Amino acid sequence: MIEIESIQIRENHARVSLSSGEFLIISHEGVKIYGITPGKVIDHDEYGRLKGESDRFACYRRALQYLSVKGRSVAELERYLLGKGHSRQHVQESTARLTELGYLDDYAYAMEHIGKRRGRRAVGKNRLLAELFRKGVPGDMARRAVAEYPGKLVDPEELYRLAAEKFARLKGKRDAVRKLVFFLRQRGFEGDEIRRAVERLSDEDTGPE
């Protein structure tokens, strides 16, 4: 049998010290539900329930801390929590609760990611999709976010400047045009976009022939 030695009430949880030398982190609600009081003796079954409650609460707290740094996809958060040793059940419970509260939203996360990438060096739709897939955003949701993004995904002028800068570094090298096209494909641009940029470069005195 294990005795509850003390309870320290913190801002959003209670620290419950046990006679075994262990301590559990329990939510305020959990303290009331389980009737936790100093001096109470608990058997093996009740200890198991309290341990499960503590692990569940710890998982949720860790999820909140991870999200406080920056936005994450559901899959990213799940991978992180599982990597920290939390059970899949507690991880799924935490992500479900956070989704319900609006802290987790893969569509909003995808939109935010696209917006940030659009503020940097030009990238194409295919690159954006690949990045979202790697971050665990479901395929249908990633494609919908890309399709519904309220701004211009690819600015022809940005693409042209990127192509011109790259070609200036490639000029004089063997297969420069092929290497330029490969570079632009790696940046996620589609065939028609690349063709128009290369054709525009070909009209310049310094462009590809």
Side-chain angles (χ1 to χ4, degrees):
M1 306 291 273
I2 298 174
E3 181 181 342
I4 295 175
E5 292 189 333
S6 66
I7 303 173
Q8 294 177 313
I9 302 298
R10 305 290 173 81
E11 182 179 354
N12 60 359
H13 68 275
R15 188 178 190 272
V16 180
S17 298
L18 306 179
S19 58
S20 62
E22 185 180 7
F23 70 88
L24 305 175
I25 300 299
I26 306 290
S27 67
H28 293 161
E29 181 182 9
V31 171
K32 295 177 182 177
I33 292 174
Y34 291 100
I36 299 173
T37 57
K40 180 179 181 179
V41 176
I42 58 177
D43 60 20
H44 179 76
D45 290 341
E46 189 167 9
Y47 167 79
R49 289 192 291 272
L50 288 177
K51 184 69 168 63
E53 180 66 22
S54 180
D55 292 345
R56 180 181 294 105
F57 186 66
C59 180
Y60 184 71
R61 287 182 68 207
R62 178 166 272 152
L64 282 175
Q65 291 169 353
Y66 193 57
L67 289 175
S68 70
V69 178
K70 67 176 184 178
R72 313 281 181 177
S73 70
V74 173
E76 282 181 316
L77 180 58
E78 287 182 342
R79 284 196 295 267
Y80 171 75
L81 294 174
L82 289 170
K84 291 296 183 179
H86 294 290
S87 71
R88 185 168 296 278
Q89 178 185 343
H90 291 163
V91 169
Q92 291 175 343
E93 288 175 359
S94 294
T95 55
R97 183 178 175 188
L98 290 166
T99 297
E100 183 180 352
L101 292 172
Y103 292 117
L104 275 178
D105 183 333
D106 277 349
Y107 180 77
Y109 173 80
M111 284 292 194
E112 181 183 6
H113 177 78
I114 294 169
K116 288 179 179 178
R117 293 296 276 121
R118 286 293 298 116
R120 302 173 193 165
R121 204 173 188 195
V123 293
K125 181 179 74 173
N126 295 330
R127 177 72 168 269
L128 289 170
L129 284 172
E131 290 175 354
L132 291 173
F133 294 159
R134 283 198 299 273
K135 290 178 177 296
V137 177
D140 57 342
M141 195 171 293
R143 283 185 282 270
R144 183 162 68 90
V146 168
E148 296 176 356
Y149 183 72
K152 187 182 292 185
L153 279 180
V154 179
D155 184 329
E157 290 302 316
E158 290 181 9
L159 172 53
Y160 172 73
R161 285 194 294 272
L162 179 66
E165 290 171 5
K166 181 65 175 179
F167 188 72
R169 296 193 293 272
L170 290 172
K171 197 165 185 183
K173 296 183 179 180
R174 183 178 180 182
D175 296 329
V177 175
R178 182 179 61 78
K179 290 176 180 177
L180 172 62
V181 170
F182 178 78
F183 167 76
L184 295 175
R185 286 192 181 279
Q186 289 292 99
R187 297 289 298 181
F189 298 106
E190 298 186 306
D192 287 346
E193 295 168 334
I194 295 172
R195 177 180 53 76
R196 286 191 291 269
V198 172
E199 287 177 351
R200 182 175 171 185
L201 278 170
S202 70
D203 292 335
E204 303 289 337
D205 292 338
T206 58
E209 298 178 356

